[in-house]
PDB file of all heavy atoms in Angstrom:
ATOM      1  N   VAL W 217     -25.674 -11.113  -3.237  1.00 94.00           N
ATOM      2  CA  VAL W 217     -26.771 -10.555  -2.442  1.00 94.00           C
ATOM      3  C   VAL W 217     -27.747 -11.671  -2.076  1.00 94.00           C
ATOM      4  O   VAL W 217     -28.224 -11.743  -0.938  1.00 94.00           O
ATOM      5  CB  VAL W 217     -27.467  -9.410  -3.193  1.00 94.00           C
ATOM      6  CG1 VAL W 217     -28.648  -8.900  -2.402  1.00 94.00           C
ATOM      7  CG2 VAL W 217     -26.483  -8.289  -3.455  1.00 94.00           C
ATOM      8  N   SER W 218     -28.016 -12.582  -3.016  1.00 92.00           N
ATOM      9  CA  SER W 218     -28.790 -13.780  -2.682  1.00 92.00           C
ATOM     10  C   SER W 218     -28.093 -14.539  -1.570  1.00 92.00           C
ATOM     11  O   SER W 218     -28.726 -15.047  -0.652  1.00 92.00           O
ATOM     12  CB  SER W 218     -28.896 -14.703  -3.892  1.00 92.00           C
ATOM     13  OG  SER W 218     -29.893 -14.287  -4.756  1.00 92.00           O
ATOM     14  N   GLY W 219     -26.756 -14.609  -1.682  1.00 93.00           N
ATOM     15  CA  GLY W 219     -25.967 -15.292  -0.663  1.00 93.00           C
ATOM     16  C   GLY W 219     -26.176 -14.664   0.716  1.00 93.00           C
ATOM     17  O   GLY W 219     -26.319 -15.356   1.711  1.00 93.00           O
ATOM     18  N   LEU W 220     -26.206 -13.340   0.750  1.00 94.00           N
ATOM     19  CA  LEU W 220     -26.394 -12.635   2.024  1.00 94.00           C
ATOM     20  C   LEU W 220     -27.771 -12.928   2.610  1.00 94.00           C
ATOM     21  O   LEU W 220     -27.911 -13.165   3.809  1.00 94.00           O
ATOM     22  CB  LEU W 220     -26.236 -11.128   1.824  1.00 94.00           C
ATOM     23  CG  LEU W 220     -24.852 -10.665   1.387  1.00 94.00           C
ATOM     24  CD1 LEU W 220     -24.864  -9.170   1.102  1.00 94.00           C
ATOM     25  CD2 LEU W 220     -23.836 -10.980   2.467  1.00 94.00           C
ATOM     26  N   ARG W 221     -28.783 -12.919   1.736  1.00 93.00           N
ATOM     27  CA  ARG W 221     -30.124 -13.212   2.228  1.00 93.00           C
ATOM     28  C   ARG W 221     -30.205 -14.674   2.652  1.00 93.00           C
ATOM     29  O   ARG W 221     -30.844 -15.010   3.634  1.00 93.00           O
ATOM     30  CB  ARG W 221     -31.161 -12.928   1.156  1.00 93.00           C
ATOM     31  CG  ARG W 221     -31.217 -11.466   0.771  1.00 93.00           C
ATOM     32  CD  ARG W 221     -32.567 -11.110   0.158  1.00 93.00           C
ATOM     33  NE  ARG W 221     -32.504  -9.849  -0.557  1.00 93.00           N
ATOM     34  CZ  ARG W 221     -32.561  -8.660   0.020  1.00 93.00           C
ATOM     35  NH1 ARG W 221     -32.686  -8.567   1.325  1.00 93.00           N
ATOM     36  NH2 ARG W 221     -32.487  -7.551  -0.693  1.00 93.00           N
ATOM     37  N   ALA W 222     -29.519 -15.548   1.870  1.00 93.00           N
ATOM     38  CA  ALA W 222     -29.572 -16.980   2.166  1.00 93.00           C
ATOM     39  C   ALA W 222     -28.970 -17.284   3.525  1.00 93.00           C
ATOM     40  O   ALA W 222     -29.308 -18.275   4.142  1.00 93.00           O
ATOM     41  CB  ALA W 222     -28.847 -17.775   1.087  1.00 93.00           C
ATOM     42  N   LYS W 223     -28.046 -16.433   3.998  1.00 93.00           N
ATOM     43  CA  LYS W 223     -27.490 -16.737   5.325  1.00 93.00           C
ATOM     44  C   LYS W 223     -28.267 -16.033   6.417  1.00 93.00           C
ATOM     45  O   LYS W 223     -27.878 -16.058   7.569  1.00 93.00           O
ATOM     46  CB  LYS W 223     -25.994 -16.447   5.377  1.00 93.00           C
ATOM     47  CG  LYS W 223     -25.576 -15.026   5.215  1.00 93.00           C
ATOM     48  CD  LYS W 223     -24.040 -14.947   5.225  1.00 93.00           C
ATOM     49  CE  LYS W 223     -23.572 -13.510   5.320  1.00 93.00           C
ATOM     50  NZ  LYS W 223     -22.118 -13.410   5.378  1.00 93.00           N
ATOM     51  N   GLY W 224     -29.366 -15.387   6.055  1.00 92.00           N
ATOM     52  CA  GLY W 224     -30.284 -14.896   7.075  1.00 92.00           C
ATOM     53  C   GLY W 224     -30.092 -13.453   7.483  1.00 92.00           C
ATOM     54  O   GLY W 224     -30.648 -13.023   8.482  1.00 92.00           O
ATOM     55  N   LEU W 225     -29.295 -12.686   6.726  1.00 93.00           N
ATOM     56  CA  LEU W 225     -29.144 -11.278   7.091  1.00 93.00           C
ATOM     57  C   LEU W 225     -30.464 -10.549   6.930  1.00 93.00           C
ATOM     58  O   LEU W 225     -31.231 -10.819   6.014  1.00 93.00           O
ATOM     59  CB  LEU W 225     -28.083 -10.605   6.214  1.00 93.00           C
ATOM     60  CG  LEU W 225     -26.642 -11.029   6.417  1.00 93.00           C
ATOM     61  CD1 LEU W 225     -25.709 -10.007   5.778  1.00 93.00           C
ATOM     62  CD2 LEU W 225     -26.310 -11.165   7.894  1.00 93.00           C
ATOM     63  N   LEU W 226     -30.709  -9.600   7.824  1.00 92.00           N
ATOM     64  CA  LEU W 226     -31.885  -8.742   7.699  1.00 92.00           C
ATOM     65  C   LEU W 226     -31.565  -7.641   6.692  1.00 92.00           C
ATOM     66  O   LEU W 226     -30.416  -7.475   6.286  1.00 92.00           O
ATOM     67  CB  LEU W 226     -32.231  -8.128   9.055  1.00 92.00           C
ATOM     68  CG  LEU W 226     -32.564  -9.169  10.132  1.00 92.00           C
ATOM     69  CD1 LEU W 226     -32.561  -8.533  11.506  1.00 92.00           C
ATOM     70  CD2 LEU W 226     -33.903  -9.806   9.846  1.00 92.00           C
ATOM     71  N   ASP W 227     -32.592  -6.872   6.345  1.00 89.00           N
ATOM     72  CA  ASP W 227     -32.398  -5.837   5.324  1.00 89.00           C
ATOM     73  C   ASP W 227     -31.257  -4.891   5.668  1.00 89.00           C
ATOM     74  O   ASP W 227     -30.469  -4.518   4.814  1.00 89.00           O
ATOM     75  CB  ASP W 227     -33.689  -5.030   5.138  1.00 89.00           C
ATOM     76  CG  ASP W 227     -34.666  -5.779   4.251  1.00 89.00           C
ATOM     77  OD1 ASP W 227     -34.215  -6.724   3.569  1.00 89.00           O
ATOM     78  OD2 ASP W 227     -35.860  -5.437   4.250  1.00 89.00           O
ATOM     79  N   ARG W 228     -31.153  -4.508   6.950  1.00 90.00           N
ATOM     80  CA  ARG W 228     -30.101  -3.535   7.254  1.00 90.00           C
ATOM     81  C   ARG W 228     -28.715  -4.159   7.141  1.00 90.00           C
ATOM     82  O   ARG W 228     -27.752  -3.469   6.802  1.00 90.00           O
ATOM     83  CB  ARG W 228     -30.326  -2.913   8.640  1.00 90.00           C
ATOM     84  CG  ARG W 228     -30.180  -3.846   9.800  1.00 90.00           C
ATOM     85  CD  ARG W 228     -30.503  -3.096  11.090  1.00 90.00           C
ATOM     86  NE  ARG W 228     -31.608  -3.703  11.794  1.00 90.00           N
ATOM     87  CZ  ARG W 228     -31.434  -4.616  12.768  1.00 90.00           C
ATOM     88  NH1 ARG W 228     -30.225  -4.986  13.127  1.00 90.00           N
ATOM     89  NH2 ARG W 228     -32.469  -5.150  13.370  1.00 90.00           N
ATOM     90  N   GLY W 229     -28.626  -5.477   7.374  1.00 92.00           N
ATOM     91  CA  GLY W 229     -27.346  -6.152   7.175  1.00 92.00           C
ATOM     92  C   GLY W 229     -26.958  -6.147   5.701  1.00 92.00           C
ATOM     93  O   GLY W 229     -25.820  -5.866   5.341  1.00 92.00           O
ATOM     94  N   VAL W 230     -27.935  -6.445   4.858  1.00 93.00           N
ATOM     95  CA  VAL W 230     -27.691  -6.448   3.412  1.00 93.00           C
ATOM     96  C   VAL W 230     -27.289  -5.041   2.961  1.00 93.00           C
ATOM     97  O   VAL W 230     -26.366  -4.861   2.174  1.00 93.00           O
ATOM     98  CB  VAL W 230     -28.949  -6.926   2.654  1.00 93.00           C
ATOM     99  CG1 VAL W 230     -28.744  -6.818   1.155  1.00 93.00           C
ATOM    100  CG2 VAL W 230     -29.277  -8.363   3.038  1.00 93.00           C
ATOM    101  N   LEU W 231     -27.971  -4.049   3.526  1.00 92.00           N
ATOM    102  CA  LEU W 231     -27.701  -2.647   3.199  1.00 92.00           C
ATOM    103  C   LEU W 231     -26.229  -2.296   3.430  1.00 92.00           C
ATOM    104  O   LEU W 231     -25.596  -1.649   2.601  1.00 92.00           O
ATOM    105  CB  LEU W 231     -28.576  -1.771   4.096  1.00 92.00           C
ATOM    106  CG  LEU W 231     -29.135  -0.514   3.483  1.00 92.00           C
ATOM    107  CD1 LEU W 231     -30.141  -0.893   2.415  1.00 92.00           C
ATOM    108  CD2 LEU W 231     -29.798   0.334   4.553  1.00 92.00           C
ATOM    109  N   ALA W 232     -25.699  -2.742   4.551  1.00 93.00           N
ATOM    110  CA  ALA W 232     -24.302  -2.437   4.871  1.00 93.00           C
ATOM    111  C   ALA W 232     -23.382  -3.001   3.788  1.00 93.00           C
ATOM    112  O   ALA W 232     -22.429  -2.337   3.356  1.00 93.00           O
ATOM    113  CB  ALA W 232     -23.949  -3.018   6.237  1.00 93.00           C
ATOM    114  N   HIS W 233     -23.688  -4.209   3.326  1.00 94.00           N
ATOM    115  CA  HIS W 233     -22.865  -4.815   2.274  1.00 94.00           C
ATOM    116  C   HIS W 233     -22.982  -4.018   0.974  1.00 94.00           C
ATOM    117  O   HIS W 233     -22.000  -3.810   0.273  1.00 94.00           O
ATOM    118  CB  HIS W 233     -23.297  -6.262   2.029  1.00 94.00           C
ATOM    119  CG  HIS W 233     -22.764  -7.216   3.053  1.00 94.00           C
ATOM    120  ND1 HIS W 233     -21.677  -8.012   2.824  1.00 94.00           N
ATOM    121  CD2 HIS W 233     -23.169  -7.487   4.312  1.00 94.00           C
ATOM    122  CE1 HIS W 233     -21.434  -8.746   3.905  1.00 94.00           C
ATOM    123  NE2 HIS W 233     -22.335  -8.440   4.811  1.00 94.00           N
ATOM    124  N   VAL W 234     -24.191  -3.608   0.658  1.00 93.00           N
ATOM    125  CA  VAL W 234     -24.394  -2.858  -0.584  1.00 93.00           C
ATOM    126  C   VAL W 234     -23.595  -1.556  -0.538  1.00 93.00           C
ATOM    127  O   VAL W 234     -22.905  -1.194  -1.491  1.00 93.00           O
ATOM    128  CB  VAL W 234     -25.892  -2.572  -0.812  1.00 93.00           C
ATOM    129  CG1 VAL W 234     -26.081  -1.658  -2.009  1.00 93.00           C
ATOM    130  CG2 VAL W 234     -26.652  -3.871  -1.027  1.00 93.00           C
ATOM    131  N   ILE W 235     -23.659  -0.881   0.599  1.00 92.00           N
ATOM    132  CA  ILE W 235     -22.940   0.390   0.723  1.00 92.00           C
ATOM    133  C   ILE W 235     -21.444   0.168   0.556  1.00 92.00           C
ATOM    134  O   ILE W 235     -20.769   0.878  -0.185  1.00 92.00           O
ATOM    135  CB  ILE W 235     -23.247   1.051   2.088  1.00 92.00           C
ATOM    136  CG1 ILE W 235     -24.696   1.526   2.112  1.00 92.00           C
ATOM    137  CG2 ILE W 235     -22.303   2.227   2.332  1.00 92.00           C
ATOM    138  CD1 ILE W 235     -25.149   2.050   3.449  1.00 92.00           C
ATOM    139  N   LYS W 236     -20.929  -0.857   1.226  1.00 92.00           N
ATOM    140  CA  LYS W 236     -19.482  -1.064   1.149  1.00 92.00           C
ATOM    141  C   LYS W 236     -19.045  -1.436  -0.268  1.00 92.00           C
ATOM    142  O   LYS W 236     -17.948  -1.085  -0.698  1.00 92.00           O
ATOM    143  CB  LYS W 236     -19.045  -2.146   2.141  1.00 92.00           C
ATOM    144  CG  LYS W 236     -17.541  -2.213   2.261  1.00 92.00           C
ATOM    145  CD  LYS W 236     -17.057  -2.882   3.518  1.00 92.00           C
ATOM    146  CE  LYS W 236     -15.533  -2.903   3.500  1.00 92.00           C
ATOM    147  NZ  LYS W 236     -14.961  -3.810   4.465  1.00 92.00           N
ATOM    148  N   ASN W 237     -19.915  -2.134  -0.989  1.00 92.00           N
ATOM    149  CA  ASN W 237     -19.581  -2.487  -2.368  1.00 92.00           C
ATOM    150  C   ASN W 237     -19.673  -1.291  -3.306  1.00 92.00           C
ATOM    151  O   ASN W 237     -18.937  -1.197  -4.278  1.00 92.00           O
ATOM    152  CB  ASN W 237     -20.501  -3.599  -2.871  1.00 92.00           C
ATOM    153  CG  ASN W 237     -19.976  -4.973  -2.542  1.00 92.00           C
ATOM    154  OD1 ASN W 237     -19.186  -5.539  -3.288  1.00 92.00           O
ATOM    155  ND2 ASN W 237     -20.370  -5.503  -1.402  1.00 92.00           N
ATOM    156  N   ALA W 238     -20.595  -0.394  -2.997  1.00 91.00           N
ATOM    157  CA  ALA W 238     -20.792   0.751  -3.881  1.00 91.00           C
ATOM    158  C   ALA W 238     -19.774   1.846  -3.607  1.00 91.00           C
ATOM    159  O   ALA W 238     -19.475   2.657  -4.484  1.00 91.00           O
ATOM    160  CB  ALA W 238     -22.208   1.299  -3.712  1.00 91.00           C
ATOM    161  N   ALA W 239     -19.226   1.857  -2.384  1.00 89.00           N
ATOM    162  CA  ALA W 239     -18.400   2.982  -1.955  1.00 89.00           C
ATOM    163  C   ALA W 239     -17.233   3.323  -2.891  1.00 89.00           C
ATOM    164  O   ALA W 239     -17.091   4.491  -3.261  1.00 89.00           O
ATOM    165  CB  ALA W 239     -17.904   2.738  -0.533  1.00 89.00           C
ATOM    166  N   PRO W 240     -16.403   2.346  -3.296  1.00 87.00           N
ATOM    167  CA  PRO W 240     -15.228   2.746  -4.089  1.00 87.00           C
ATOM    168  C   PRO W 240     -15.595   3.495  -5.371  1.00 87.00           C
ATOM    169  O   PRO W 240     -15.024   4.553  -5.644  1.00 87.00           O
ATOM    170  CB  PRO W 240     -14.551   1.409  -4.407  1.00 87.00           C
ATOM    171  CG  PRO W 240     -15.015   0.473  -3.362  1.00 87.00           C
ATOM    172  CD  PRO W 240     -16.404   0.902  -3.015  1.00 87.00           C
ATOM    173  N   THR W 241     -16.553   2.976  -6.121  1.00 87.00           N
ATOM    174  CA  THR W 241     -16.926   3.624  -7.375  1.00 87.00           C
ATOM    175  C   THR W 241     -17.620   4.961  -7.117  1.00 87.00           C
ATOM    176  O   THR W 241     -17.327   5.970  -7.780  1.00 87.00           O
ATOM    177  CB  THR W 241     -17.859   2.716  -8.194  1.00 87.00           C
ATOM    178  OG1 THR W 241     -17.313   1.400  -8.175  1.00 87.00           O
ATOM    179  CG2 THR W 241     -17.977   3.206  -9.604  1.00 87.00           C
ATOM    180  N   ALA W 242     -18.529   4.969  -6.156  1.00 88.00           N
ATOM    181  CA  ALA W 242     -19.235   6.210  -5.837  1.00 88.00           C
ATOM    182  C   ALA W 242     -18.228   7.285  -5.461  1.00 88.00           C
ATOM    183  O   ALA W 242     -18.337   8.441  -5.876  1.00 88.00           O
ATOM    184  CB  ALA W 242     -20.224   5.976  -4.704  1.00 88.00           C
ATOM    185  N   LEU W 243     -17.232   6.871  -4.679  1.00 85.00           N
ATOM    186  CA  LEU W 243     -16.224   7.825  -4.234  1.00 85.00           C
ATOM    187  C   LEU W 243     -15.442   8.408  -5.403  1.00 85.00           C
ATOM    188  O   LEU W 243     -15.144   9.608  -5.433  1.00 85.00           O
ATOM    189  CB  LEU W 243     -15.265   7.110  -3.297  1.00 85.00           C
ATOM    190  CG  LEU W 243     -14.634   8.036  -2.296  1.00 85.00           C
ATOM    191  CD1 LEU W 243     -15.547   8.184  -1.116  1.00 85.00           C
ATOM    192  CD2 LEU W 243     -13.275   7.532  -1.896  1.00 85.00           C
ATOM    193  N   ALA W 244     -15.119   7.547  -6.360  1.00 84.00           N
ATOM    194  CA  ALA W 244     -14.356   8.036  -7.514  1.00 84.00           C
ATOM    195  C   ALA W 244     -15.159   9.090  -8.274  1.00 84.00           C
ATOM    196  O   ALA W 244     -14.632  10.142  -8.648  1.00 84.00           O
ATOM    197  CB  ALA W 244     -14.011   6.874  -8.441  1.00 84.00           C
ATOM    198  N   VAL W 245     -16.435   8.807  -8.457  1.00 85.00           N
ATOM    199  CA  VAL W 245     -17.281   9.768  -9.171  1.00 85.00           C
ATOM    200  C   VAL W 245     -17.402  11.061  -8.373  1.00 85.00           C
ATOM    201  O   VAL W 245     -17.283  12.167  -8.907  1.00 85.00           O
ATOM    202  CB  VAL W 245     -18.680   9.154  -9.415  1.00 85.00           C
ATOM    203  CG1 VAL W 245     -19.624  10.204  -9.974  1.00 85.00           C
ATOM    204  CG2 VAL W 245     -18.569   7.986 -10.367  1.00 85.00           C
ATOM    205  N   MET W 246     -17.597  10.920  -7.067  1.00 84.00           N
ATOM    206  CA  MET W 246     -17.710  12.106  -6.229  1.00 84.00           C
ATOM    207  C   MET W 246     -16.421  12.917  -6.269  1.00 84.00           C
ATOM    208  O   MET W 246     -16.444  14.151  -6.305  1.00 84.00           O
ATOM    209  CB  MET W 246     -18.025  11.712  -4.787  1.00 84.00           C
ATOM    210  CG  MET W 246     -19.426  11.191  -4.613  1.00 84.00           C
ATOM    211  SD  MET W 246     -19.732  10.773  -2.895  1.00 84.00           S
ATOM    212  CE  MET W 246     -21.394  10.157  -2.984  1.00 84.00           C
ATOM    213  N   GLY W 247     -15.280  12.217  -6.267  1.00 81.00           N
ATOM    214  CA  GLY W 247     -14.003  12.919  -6.316  1.00 81.00           C
ATOM    215  C   GLY W 247     -13.897  13.785  -7.557  1.00 81.00           C
ATOM    216  O   GLY W 247     -13.500  14.943  -7.495  1.00 81.00           O
ATOM    217  N   LEU W 248     -14.294  13.205  -8.697  1.00 80.00           N
ATOM    218  CA  LEU W 248     -14.242  13.971  -9.940  1.00 80.00           C
ATOM    219  C   LEU W 248     -15.179  15.172  -9.875  1.00 80.00           C
ATOM    220  O   LEU W 248     -14.824  16.282 -10.273  1.00 80.00           O
ATOM    221  CB  LEU W 248     -14.651  13.076 -11.115  1.00 80.00           C
ATOM    222  CG  LEU W 248     -13.528  12.217 -11.661  1.00 80.00           C
ATOM    223  CD1 LEU W 248     -14.026  11.396 -12.837  1.00 80.00           C
ATOM    224  CD2 LEU W 248     -12.372  13.105 -12.095  1.00 80.00           C
ATOM    225  N   GLN W 249     -16.371  14.938  -9.349  1.00 83.00           N
ATOM    226  CA  GLN W 249     -17.332  16.034  -9.230  1.00 83.00           C
ATOM    227  C   GLN W 249     -16.789  17.133  -8.331  1.00 83.00           C
ATOM    228  O   GLN W 249     -16.877  18.317  -8.641  1.00 83.00           O
ATOM    229  CB  GLN W 249     -18.656  15.514  -8.665  1.00 83.00           C
ATOM    230  CG  GLN W 249     -19.440  14.692  -9.655  1.00 83.00           C
ATOM    231  CD  GLN W 249     -19.708  15.474 -10.922  1.00 83.00           C
ATOM    232  OE1 GLN W 249     -20.158  16.612 -10.882  1.00 83.00           O
ATOM    233  NE2 GLN W 249     -19.378  14.889 -12.055  1.00 83.00           N
ATOM    234  N   LEU W 250     -16.202  16.693  -7.209  1.00 81.00           N
ATOM    235  CA  LEU W 250     -15.600  17.662  -6.297  1.00 81.00           C
ATOM    236  C   LEU W 250     -14.551  18.477  -7.042  1.00 81.00           C
ATOM    237  O   LEU W 250     -14.446  19.689  -6.881  1.00 81.00           O
ATOM    238  CB  LEU W 250     -14.974  16.926  -5.108  1.00 81.00           C
ATOM    239  CG  LEU W 250     -14.300  17.794  -4.057  1.00 81.00           C
ATOM    240  CD1 LEU W 250     -15.314  18.706  -3.398  1.00 81.00           C
ATOM    241  CD2 LEU W 250     -13.610  16.944  -3.003  1.00 81.00           C
ATOM    242  N   GLY W 251     -13.788  17.766  -7.895  1.00 76.00           N
ATOM    243  CA  GLY W 251     -12.774  18.452  -8.690  1.00 76.00           C
ATOM    244  C   GLY W 251     -13.385  19.544  -9.550  1.00 76.00           C
ATOM    245  O   GLY W 251     -12.910  20.673  -9.579  1.00 76.00           O
TER     246      GLY W 251
END
Side-chain angles (χ1 to χ4, degrees):
Chain W
V217 176
S218 279
L220 296 175
R221 296 203 197 280
K223 65 183 190 178
L225 291 196
L226 299 166
D227 280 344
R228 67 183 120 94
V230 175
L231 217 67
H233 281 259
V234 173
I235 291 174
K236 190 160 179 195
N237 273 273
T241 315
L243 208 85
V245 172
M246 289 181 182
L248 277 181
Q249 287 303 311
L250 180 63

